Structure formats: C-alpha cells, structure tokens
Amino acid sequence: MTDAYGALAETLGRMAEVTDRHVPSLPGELNQEELAYRTGVPADAVAVLLAGGRVPDEPDLATRVRQRLEFLRQTRRRPDGRRYALKELADIAGTSRQWLSAWRTTGMPGMEHADRLRRHFGLSAGFFTATAPEALNSALQQVLHDLESRPPRPDGPDTTALEERLRDAGVLQLAQRAAEMDPNQRETLLEFAEFILKKDRMRD
C-alpha cells in the first residue's frame, strides 16, 4: 500500500511539472466526479488522494470487488438512459442473475466474469481489484500520457477562454471519455446524444 501512495505522489508531481509547460491548470482532467466515475473510487476519497492524503479503512479485496460492482450498476446506463437490470448485467458477465445477486452481498465474482463486465464497459484492467491509490494512479497515468503528448501551446486569452468554455460545457470531459471507448461504444454514445436531442425537440 505504501508503494501505491508513493507511485501516486510521483504521478501527481510529474503532472505538476508537465502542466507548467503545457497548460495553466487542470480543472477538467482533475475533476473529482469524473475521476470517481472512471475509477470506482468515491469522490470524497479522490479529493483526499489528490491532496496527498491517505484513505482510511481500505476494504479487503472481496469487499472492494463488490463495492465496484455496485458502483458500476449505479453509474452506467443503457443507451436509452435507464439503469441496467441485474439480468442484463448477468448476461454481459456470462452468468446468472442469481449468481450476480449473490456477488453483490456475500460472494466474490470469478475474474473471468468480472473481466467480461470490465471490457464491455471499457473499464481499466484493475477496476474491480485495485486499491483506491492504485486505481487513481492508473487513471492519472492516462491523463499524464495525454498531457505529455500535447505540443506546447502559446499562452493567449482567446485559446484559454475557448478551453474554459469547453470545460464548462463538459465537452472536454465527454471527448476524453469517448477516446477510451471502442468504435461500437462511441456509436452508442452518439445515438444516445441524438435520442436526447430528439426528445428535447419533441418536448418543445
């Protein structure tokens, strides 16, 4: 666990160095709710870790897997915006609804079934098993890689203002999430956006 916190501190330090060279701040990339969504780590724990603190009472592996499974069910939605039923998640995992119900309370899912869920939703390799600092460090490593691949940009009020407007509208976060999806998932996202717009037009 100590090594996990050390690795996270190193990543945060590297991000501070990179952002001084590339961008003035990181409100989009370090959005606590966004990082919580990607990692399954509660937003308040993300805030503590970003501030250099430690998460008390880290759950054991079995409890952690069950918590992430429940987090997945609560936060991921079908293309029509509704929550997945247990039977639907069980089908994705390649198991039965009864087994999935047991996993949520007392059991421990097989890694093969958990991996099917992970791949279906485009989650990181350690989503179900990583500790809080490990999960956050993995997500920030992806952000760091993206930052280091950006060319240095000239500072200017127009560029900064545009970037801030995009962040405020959630466009940058949406684009970052879409970049992690496979082509089928991106198409589903577009279809969902069209569904929302069409529904709003009908309401007007």
Side-chain angles (χ1 to χ4, degrees):
M1 183 67 69
T2 301
D3 290 342
Y5 282 106
L8 176 59
E10 184 177 340
T11 298
L12 288 170
R14 181 61 185 150
M15 290 181 73
E17 295 176 6
V18 172
T19 55
D20 283 341
R21 185 169 70 246
H22 291 309
V23 291
S25 59
L26 288 173
E29 287 85 346
L30 296 185
N31 180 286
Q32 295 167 17
E33 296 295 335
E34 169 70 12
L35 288 170
Y37 181 90
R38 293 173 59 185
T39 62
V41 177
D44 56 349
V46 170
V48 169
L49 292 168
L50 290 176
R54 291 174 175 257
V55 178
D57 303 324
E58 181 79 39
D60 61 34
L61 176 61
T63 302
R64 194 159 61 241
V65 171
R66 291 196 295 270
Q67 288 176 347
R68 301 275 169 82
L69 179 61
E70 184 60 23
F71 180 85
L72 178 71
R73 182 167 180 258
Q74 294 296 332
T75 57
R76 269 54 178 183
R77 293 290 184 267
R78 302 185 327 190
D80 62 4
R82 297 185 178 184
R83 192 168 67 177
Y84 282 90
L86 281 179
K87 177 63 167 62
E88 292 173 310
L89 290 177
D91 289 342
I92 293 170
T95 188
S96 68
R97 183 186 183 282
Q98 290 74 20
W99 274 109
L100 193 65
S101 296
W103 293 346
R104 295 175 61 219
T105 54
T106 59
M108 176 80 171
M111 287 299 101
E112 178 183 353
H113 300 298
D115 194 57
R116 288 181 181 178
L117 282 171
R118 180 192 69 77
R119 287 186 282 107
H120 178 84
F121 290 104
L123 303 169
S124 62
F127 179 84
F128 287 104
T129 58
T131 63
E134 289 170 344
L136 183 58
N137 187 52
S138 176
L140 292 180
Q141 283 285 338
Q142 297 176 32
V143 176
L144 177 60
H145 179 270
D146 178 61
L147 291 171
E148 289 181 325
S149 65
R150 296 179 188 174
R153 70 170 195 194
D155 291 330
D158 292 339
T159 303
T160 302
L162 174 61
E163 185 172 299
E164 290 303 324
R165 287 198 299 273
L166 289 173
R167 283 199 182 107
D168 290 342
V171 174
L172 291 183
Q173 293 180 34
L174 186 60
Q176 184 178 16
R177 189 173 297 168
E180 300 169 4
M181 300 177 180
D182 61 38
N184 289 334
Q185 290 172 323
R186 283 195 290 272
E187 178 143 352
T188 300
L189 178 62
L190 287 172
E191 291 174 354
F192 186 35
E194 290 294 336
F195 171 81
I196 294 173
L197 290 173
K198 183 176 180 181
K199 188 175 181 181
D200 285 343
R201 292 191 194 103
M202 294 174 63
R203 187 181 304 145
D204 294 340

